[in-house]
Amino acid sequence: MKETTMQSSRIRYSTDELRSWLTGRVAAQLGMSAEVIRPDVLLAEYGLDSVYALALSTDIEDHLALRLEPTVVWDHPTVDELAAFLLGELENAA
Amino acid sequence: MIAVLRSVYRRDPCLGLGYGLSSFIASVNVWTAASDEQCRTVAGLLLANRKIASVYHELDHGNDLARIECEARPVGDTWVLNGRKEVVTNLQRADALVIFARTDPKPGSRSHSQLFLDKSTVAPDRMRDLPRFPSTGMRGVQLGGVEFRDCAIPRDNVLGRPGHGIETALRSFQLTRTVLPAVMAGQVDTGLRTTVRHVLGRRLYGRPVAEVPYIRSVLVGAFVDLLTVECFTTVVARAIHLLPTETSVYASAVKHFGAKALMDAMNRLSMVLGAHFYLRRGGVAIFQKLLRDLQPVGFGHAARAACQTTILPQLPMLARRSWRTPEAAPDELFRLDADLPALPFDRLAVTAAGQDHLSGSLLAGLDAEGADHRAVSDLAERFAAELRVLADECAELPPGELGVAAGPRSADLATRYGLVLAASACLSVWRHNGDRDPFLGDPAWLLAALTRLSAQQRGEPADLPEHVERRLYAELMDRHEDVRGFDLTNRRVR
């Protein structure tokens, strides 16, 4: 039962929704407005430091019900790259 | 290894750091990330009594690894190194270096790597020693600097995958963050012995100083704090073997907690000694040296603040994934005589992913203990309640409170969590070792340890029950007379 709900929540995400959710999380973590954050700029440029990027990865895990490497945000360091990678992971999981 | 180094630190911390810990700090990067061949090379050096320096620090960036500037550019089959490193232990004396360098100009966490450099292979004009940095404490340890100018290092000398340097540091320094407070407890052991010897031979206000109640309390307090630090460091050191995926948090917590506990204990002992601790001659003179040499426990090799920034972002997931549904750690974690498996370097992880079985053991212990010992149970229940409060506060922490910009209330959460972990370590060591060591199974020290931790948590002075203080004072005097350590091993120290 639980698995079905998770599956349906996985399928629901479009690239745009995922991007805007990620942008919102990063903005909240950095205490800045989401409009400022461009999806093709390195998150580190906005001051997202190593350890906070690690915390973001578990937020993503909980939100999308995925298991990820803790370093996922280091390896996909912009909103665009991260969203693309996560969509791939969601498809694999579905 | 901790036991051996601790006995060196008990006598001379400079020797311990300069000829022991310093090469250890550099080597953990190697054991964690390097190839088998690189490991053999480094092991060969160390077995030949040569030194390796861990070359990370740049004055402008402190513990902010992601902004380290010293740069290694890939050119042909070499890395070409340019830049400066400052305030680095043994830099000049070492035979080889593990250099943390920027290998990619992009900002982020995949732009640095560790490079191994045998100094004998470097042309003298490529590497210039900077003047030594004089220091307040640990004066016997050389703090050096270096400037690299187009210094070529073979491409193969990178440790692990290029760009994965921050990951290697976060994983491997879990060992060193644990070992540092564990061995520096040796200095406080000597500090306490020196103070006891002094007060036993001195009369003030018409009685031996040792009989002044306040003095007794301070001595017993320092003894208990030493035992507490040792319980916590020992359990975390064992966790690196047994629960390696969780130690990212524990190692930072034990450094953060242990450093402060040791410095506070030493400072309180200095007040017992009064003017005598300030003297540089006579039987007490060693104290002022040990006090100076202890300061690096707070800032050296990952400052307490840096430890806090490792813990803080992990609190919400710990709260959500572990604290609300606690699970106990395996018993071997706490049984001091239980064999340990080899250290699984490949399983050390950059985060604990929300897993915490150490605080889980606090709650499990409560079920098992029941009403056996009312006072212990009450105190343990207090920490269990504190963990539930922490779970509620941390689970919903806004993301803005997890970063460098966190307010003092959030920063305090890491401290409060450290107290809970320390309490759980003490409780579990007590529960699992009484059959081996009657003193460890006696609730007196545990009651004292939990009372002191709980007082810190509430910001109140710690007031030990009279019979507990008497029991521990007698133990302290026995150990002093027999020249046994004020630690868990309780062995003769000379």
Side-chain angles (χ1 to χ4, degrees), chain B residues 177-409:
Chain B
R177 286 182 184 188
T178 307
V179 167
L180 221 88
V183 299
M184 290 178 96
Q187 293 169 243
V188 181
D189 186 286
T190 299
L192 177 56
R193 185 164 297 102
T194 309
T195 311
V196 168
R197 195 189 309 132
H198 176 75
V199 299
L200 285 176
R202 191 166 159 78
R203 290 182 69 87
L204 284 176
Y205 308 104
R207 54 173 149 182
V209 172
E211 282 173 21
V212 177
Y214 166 75
I215 303 288
R216 278 182 173 220
S217 297
V218 174
L219 296 176
V220 167
F223 179 32
V224 171
D225 291 350
L226 266 175
L227 291 172
T228 304
V229 168
E230 217 196 335
C231 282
F232 197 179
T233 53
T234 305
V235 165
V236 176
R238 296 181 65 84
I240 292 173
H241 293 260
L242 292 165
L243 302 171
T245 56
E246 298 184 14
T247 44
S248 141
V249 171
Y250 302 154
S252 286
V254 81
K255 173 79 165 50
H256 186 261
F257 169 87
K260 181 168 188 309
L262 293 175
M263 287 193 291
D264 286 352
M266 201 69 171
N267 284 328
R268 283 193 306 271
L269 289 174
S270 79
M271 283 181 245
V272 169
L273 292 171
H276 288 265
F277 99 84
Y278 208 61
L279 296 178
R280 301 195 57 169
R281 295 219 170 119
V284 181
I286 186 68
F287 193 93
Q288 54 84 30
K289 170 187 158 54
L290 292 174
L291 183 66
R292 272 190 281 118
D293 290 353
L294 184 63
Q295 303 308 311
V297 77
F299 60 80
H301 188 59
R304 291 186 70 238
C307 292
Q308 191 169 294
T309 57
T310 307
I311 302 167
L312 201 50
Q314 301 200 43
L315 292 179
M317 53 180 142
L318 287 164
R320 291 200 293 264
R321 293 184 179 176
S322 283
W323 298 347
R324 285 178 169 165
T325 48
E327 283 173 29
D331 290 355
E332 313 89 81
L333 184 63
F334 309 110
R335 289 200 58 93
L336 303 180
D337 56 352
D339 289 338
L340 288 172
L343 212 152
F345 284 96
D346 56 328
R347 292 182 59 213
L348 294 169
V350 287
T351 74
Q355 295 306 306
D356 172 9
H357 288 84
L358 177 52
S359 73
S361 300
L362 175 73
L363 299 151
L366 281 183
D367 298 340
E369 233 42 69
D372 249 15
H373 202 301
R374 201 67 241 156
V376 166
S377 295
D378 286 352
L379 280 161
E381 179 52 52
R382 224 183 260 179
F383 284 101
E386 166 75 348
L387 187 66
R388 288 192 291 271
V389 173
L390 278 173
D392 290 341
E393 287 183 37
C394 294
E396 305 309 329
L397 263 184
E401 281 296 308
L402 304 177
V404 174
R409 250 184 71 78

Side-chain angles (χ1 to χ4, degrees), chain B residues 26-49:
Chain B
S27 73
V28 292
N29 283 174
V30 178
W31 316 140
T32 301
S35 67
D36 290 350
E37 193 188 332
Q38 289 168 330
C39 286
R40 271 194 296 274
T41 306
V42 171
L45 277 173
L46 292 174
L47 289 170
N49 277 329

